């Protein structure tokens, strides 16, 4: 029971560890005795074993970071992400999904049997079923930034909501990879957070000029933003040994927001019930 989550002495990699959900998850992992390798473009203040600067929209930067990561790891936490606005549609897609997949595929051969991957999607991506064919077409591209950029140039209408599309891509990628990874005894899951108090939210409402009233439409009925820790904790749980038979899932972490939509108790503003 001293190591009920199974992280003590294990090497884990986490992106987006400088702030918000990623920072909260990184701190919890350190507290649980993991050897944490943190990746972020900003300085990491958590006392991790190693902090590596990386730009998730730059494949060369990701390649350099991957070279500095040990040959065997236990778990990968994909927490890096940006809001749109103020980030452009292209950068949002590249950082939130293309870079995520590029790093994940680079590290997959190093994840030990029994290991796991957990990523941050969003309630903004919960309409993935209604856009499944577009997302599948995008995911069929080879795992390169060149292909993603070319697709973006040819399909601007499919990425008009780059943030939502990037998060739909994370959800569908997670579900698509579950079968192949199960054959290697590796799990993959993601979470779909509701609005969370974080640097991300500050940037969305500050530089992005997103009105409070619009964001508040997506708050659950408890009437408040989540904390970074309230999102980091489920991520840590999903990659832990307590969730050893859980894979291919997108877990809404939203205090019932999606349930309210599915049950017709509030307007389906994101079309998630389709």
């Amino acid at each position: 029971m001293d190591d009920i989550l199974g992280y003590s002495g294990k090497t884990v990699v986490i992106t987006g560890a400088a702030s918000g959900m990623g920072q909260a998850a990184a701190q919890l992992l350190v507290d649980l005795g993991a050897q944490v390798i943190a990746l972020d473009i900003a300085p990491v203040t958590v006392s991790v074993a190693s902090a590596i600067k990386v730009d998730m929209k730059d494949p060369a930067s990701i390649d350099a970071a991957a070279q500095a990561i040990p040959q065997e790891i236990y778990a990968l936490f994909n927490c890096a992400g940006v809001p749109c606005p103020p980030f452009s549609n292209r950068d949002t897609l590249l950082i939130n999904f293309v870079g995520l997949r590029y790093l994940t595929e680079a590290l997959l051969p190093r994840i030990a049997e029994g290991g796991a991957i957990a990523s941050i999607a969003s309630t903004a991506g919960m309409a993935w079923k209604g856009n499944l064919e577009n997302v599948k077409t995008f995911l069929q591209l080879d795992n390169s930034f060149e292909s993603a950029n070319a697709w973006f140039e040819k399909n601007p209408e499919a990425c008009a909501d780059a943030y939502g599309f990037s998060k739909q891509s994370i959800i569908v990628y997670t579900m698509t990879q579950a079968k192949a990874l199960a054959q290697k005894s590796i799990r993959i899951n993601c979470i779909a957070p509701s609005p969370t108090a974080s640097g991300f939210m500050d940037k969305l409402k500050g530089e992005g000029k997103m009105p409070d009233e619009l964001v508040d439409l997506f708050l659950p009925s408890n009437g408040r933003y989540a904390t970074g820790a309230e999102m980091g904790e489920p991520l840590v749980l999903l990659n832990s040994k307590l969730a050893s038979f859980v894979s291919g899932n997108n877990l809404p972490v939203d205090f019932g927001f999606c349930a309210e939509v599915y049950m017709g108790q509030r307007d389906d503003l994101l079309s998630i019930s389709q």
Side-chain angles (χ1 to χ4, degrees):
M1 296 296 289
D2 290 340
D3 185 27
I4 192 169
L5 295 179
Y7 286 109
S8 182
K10 301 286 181 60
T11 299
V12 303
V13 176
I14 181 167
T15 68
S19 63
M21 305 174 198
Q23 182 182 53
Q27 184 61 65
L28 180 55
L29 289 162
V30 169
D31 294 342
L32 291 168
Q35 296 296 305
V36 179
I37 300 172
L39 279 59
D40 207 306
I41 197 167
V44 175
T45 58
V46 177
S47 298
V48 296
S50 176
I52 302 170
K53 186 173 182 178
V54 64
D55 181 350
M56 293 298 291
K57 68 180 185 298
D58 179 359
S61 180
I62 297 173
D63 287 340
Q67 290 178 3
I69 292 171
Q71 288 304 302
E72 181 172 297
I73 62 175
Y74 174 67
L76 170 63
F77 295 84
N78 291 311
C79 301
V82 296
C84 178
F87 284 81
S88 68
N89 281 345
R90 184 192 299 272
D91 284 354
T92 298
L93 181 62
L94 294 181
I95 294 168
N96 288 4
F97 179 72
V98 179
L100 178 152
R101 179 169 69 168
Y102 190 86
L103 176 66
T104 300
E105 299 289 332
L107 297 184
L108 262 178
R110 308 185 201 181
I111 298 178
E113 182 176 325
I117 301 162
S119 306
I120 298 177
S122 172
T123 50
M126 291 295 284
W128 62 270
K129 290 182 182 179
N131 197 33
L132 184 56
E133 291 310 310
N134 279 334
V135 176
K136 279 186 172 180
T137 298
F138 179 60
L139 293 183
Q140 287 168 359
L141 300 174
D142 63 69
N143 181 35
S144 72
F145 281 73
E146 291 80 9
S147 292
N149 273 308
W151 180 90
F152 179 86
E153 292 291 341
K154 292 179 181 179
N155 300 276
E157 72 291 340
C159 208
D161 173 17
Y163 184 78
F165 186 82
S166 71
K167 297 302 184 176
Q168 290 174 8
S169 297
I170 292 173
I171 294 169
V172 177
Y173 175 73
T174 296
M175 295 181 176
T176 302
Q177 292 300 309
K179 179 180 179 180
L181 294 183
Q183 295 166 358
K184 301 177 182 180
S185 296
I186 296 172
R187 300 180 299 105
I188 183 168
N189 295 285
C190 59
I191 67 169
S194 58
T196 301
S198 63
F200 174 104
M201 186 59 66
D202 294 341
K203 189 174 287 290
L204 177 66
K205 296 200 296 184
E207 293 177 48
K209 298 182 180 179
M210 187 68 68
D212 288 351
E213 296 79 9
L214 182 57
V215 176
D216 290 352
L217 289 173
F218 304 102
L219 291 178
S221 287
N222 65 353
R224 70 170 177 84
Y225 289 63
T227 67
E230 287 170 328
M231 297 300 163
E233 289 163 358
L235 275 172
V236 171
L237 175 63
L238 282 174
N239 271 358
S240 78
K241 69 180 183 182
L242 284 185
S244 62
F245 220 73
V246 178
S247 191
N249 287 280
N250 172 48
L251 176 67
V253 185
D254 60 4
F255 221 103
F257 172 86
C258 288
E260 294 173 26
V261 173
Y262 295 143
M263 293 301 103
Q265 296 170 340
R266 69 191 301 159
D267 292 336
D268 188 5
L269 299 174
L270 294 170
S271 300
I272 68 175
S273 63
Q274 293 181 5

